[in-house]
Amino acid sequence: MTNKELIEKAKEMTKRSYVPYSHFHVGAALLCSDGSVYTGCNIENSAFGVTICAERVAIFKAVSEGKTDFEKIAIMGGRDGVIEDFCPPCGSCRQVMTEFGDLKKFKILLANAEDEIKEYSLEEILPMSFGKERL
Ligand code: THU
């Protein structure tokens, strides 16, 4: 699975977003070390606080299927489903990523409308994190 293919899967998932409130579509595609891919979209709720992000849907789908060894996650998003800029993950999703992804090895892939790709390690986007090694 190439970065481009993973990004394409994330983009495709923005079509599944359930976003009657924000109209901001987000799709995610998570590549596991065994080569399997789990996808997610954001799912909103009239009680706004229980809305769930695309990244966490993808991660929780994988974990619920017994996968906890992750390589990278591609994230794409935009208002009304139109991709313009990069769509970085929210703080809560970054924290969930630390539970399963290695800080240095786990990669976050973002792309914009110009097909520019940015790749970050989890450590880069969540410095000085609180992880299970502290407990
Ligand atoms: N959202 C995500 O799906 N992932 C993020 O990392 C940022 C925000 C969603 C939640 C909500 O449905 C919409 O984007 C606007 O915040």
Side-chain angles (χ1 to χ4, degrees), residues 19 22 24 26 42 44 51-55 88-90 93:
V19 287
S22 76
F24 193 88
V26 184
N42 52 336
E44 299 186 343
T51 286
I52 186 158
C53 294
E55 301 91 316
C90 80
C93 290

Side-chain angles (χ1 to χ4, degrees), residues 17-19 22-27 41-45 48 51-56 75-76 87-94 97:
S17 294
Y18 175 77
V19 287
S22 76
H23 306 286
F24 193 88
H25 295 237
V26 184
C41 61
N42 52 336
I43 304 167
E44 299 186 343
N45 191 278
F48 297 165
T51 286
I52 186 158
C53 294
E55 301 91 316
R56 273 177 284 160
I75 307 158
M76 296 289 279
C87 180
C90 80
S92 298
C93 290
R94 293 177 198 208
M97 288 172 198

